[in-house]
């Protein structure tokens, strides 16, 4: 389990002399007050609390295109520099679309910088 970054928290038998019921977490999660308690059917119950961090308290940034700082003139020049007639000769519509899509994605990477932003509350 350690190779998968998992930790097993039950160390006492839960059915007869066997540990059949497991509580596994990633190593960064914390289990508190784990107890093997009363029987339910032929297994004993496991009682515990799990500490979790509110996902809204984490500051997660994402990267978005910064169109305000884009150089559309150079992007237009790059996209205009290709000989599309040669690039798309002997290709079907789907292949033409894929070629154009790849050229636009490359030009976007070259001429529109990215910026990190904090995600805002999700609008309804």
């Amino acid at each position: 389990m350690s190779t998968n970054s998992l930790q097993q928290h039950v160390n006492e038998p839960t059915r007869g002399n066997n540990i059949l019921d497991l509580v596994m977490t990633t190593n960064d999660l914390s289990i508190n007050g784990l107890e093997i308690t009363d029987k339910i059917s032929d297994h004993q119950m496991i009682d515990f609390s799990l500490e979790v961090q509110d996902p809204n308290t984490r500051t997660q940034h994402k990267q978005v295109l910064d169109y305000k700082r884009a150089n559309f003139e150079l992007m237009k020049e790059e996209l205009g520099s290709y000989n599309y007639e040669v690039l798309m000769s002997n290709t079907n519509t789907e292949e033409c679309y894929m070629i154009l899509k790849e050229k636009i994605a490359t030009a976007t990477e070259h001429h529109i910088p990215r910026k990190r932003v904090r995600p805002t509350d999700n609008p309804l």
Side-chain angles (χ1 to χ4, degrees):
M1 284 187 283
S2 63
T3 58
N4 294 318
S5 298
L6 292 176
Q7 183 176 355
Q8 208 293 91
H9 298 274
V10 178
N11 299 316
E12 298 175 38
T14 57
R15 183 170 188 252
N17 292 326
N18 302 304
I19 300 175
L20 296 182
D21 303 292
L22 306 176
V23 175
M24 293 188 287
T25 64
T26 55
N27 291 334
D28 59 344
L29 291 178
S30 181
I31 294 287
N32 292 321
L34 188 135
E35 293 181 67
I36 308 301
T37 62
D38 301 332
K39 276 190 164 186
I40 297 179
S41 181
D42 58 347
H43 290 254
Q44 289 187 258
M45 189 167 58
I46 302 171
D47 185 29
F48 64 92
S49 63
L50 174 65
E51 282 186 32
V52 295
Q53 182 179 7
D54 181 357
N56 294 325
T57 61
R58 291 185 196 163
T59 303
Q60 297 178 355
H61 292 86
K62 64 179 182 175
Q63 291 215 350
V64 297
L65 295 172
D66 186 357
Y67 292 104
K68 287 183 181 179
R69 295 186 14 222
N71 190 333
F72 290 110
E73 285 302 315
L74 285 177
M75 187 174 181
K76 183 178 172 182
E77 283 180 34
E78 181 176 335
L79 290 170
S81 70
Y82 299 112
N83 186 340
Y84 292 102
E85 196 170 315
V86 172
L87 283 172
M88 296 182 182
S89 65
N90 300 318
T91 58
N92 62 34
T93 305
E94 182 69 22
E95 292 168 332
C96 289
Y97 166 74
M98 294 306 291
I99 291 168
L100 184 59
K101 182 179 169 185
E102 184 267 327
K103 296 300 180 194
I104 292 172
T106 300
T108 298
E109 287 298 315
H110 291 162
H111 304 293
I112 303 177
R114 293 184 175 272
K115 65 181 179 179
R116 287 175 34 141
V117 296
R118 287 184 179 181
T120 58
D121 291 336
N122 293 330
L124 298 177

